[in-house]
Amino acid sequence: MQWIVLVVSGLLEAVWATALGRSEGLHRLTPTIVFFVALFLSMAGLAYAMRDLPTGSSYAVWVGIGATGAVAYGMATGAEAAGLAKILCVIAIVGGVIGLKLVS
């Protein structure tokens, strides 16, 4: 159960990071609300998962999922350039996250 919560929390990290970028310095209302709600839920989920999972692995997986999600969203929407090198780096992050899950 903690791993599921951790993955969802990582996805919410991508949501709040994206919303923060769209909020224009917390000046646009809707993205700012999405940012704060997703931030709270993401942190609460991380805290819950860390009750039973190792801190280092939990944090690395959470950040990895969030970073990968934010970059993937940016590439999918065209807000960020998608090149082979960038895609290979994202794949390396995903591989590291999967590796941490397998050894934990």
Side-chain angles (χ1 to χ4, degrees):
M1 180 67 172
Q2 279 75 16
W3 282 104
I4 293 169
V5 171
L6 185 61
V7 168
V8 171
S9 296
L11 293 172
L12 285 168
E13 183 194 1
V15 170
W16 68 252
T18 302
L20 181 60
R22 291 177 174 253
S23 74
E24 297 176 7
L26 304 177
H27 285 87
R28 292 183 57 218
L29 182 61
T30 301
T32 299
I33 292 169
V34 170
F35 164 72
F36 281 114
V37 171
L39 177 65
F40 175 79
L41 294 173
S42 180
M43 290 290 176
L46 176 62
Y48 175 80
M50 288 174 63
R51 291 179 6 187
D52 293 322
L53 299 175
T55 300
S57 296
S58 299
Y59 183 69
V61 168
W62 180 75
V63 169
I65 292 170
T68 300
V71 169
Y73 179 81
M75 287 182 192
T77 61
E80 197 164 327
L84 180 60
K86 190 178 285 189
I87 292 169
L88 290 174
C89 290
V90 170
I91 290 170
I93 293 170
V94 171
V97 167
I98 291 170
L100 283 170
K101 163 59 174 114
L102 295 175
V103 299
S104 290

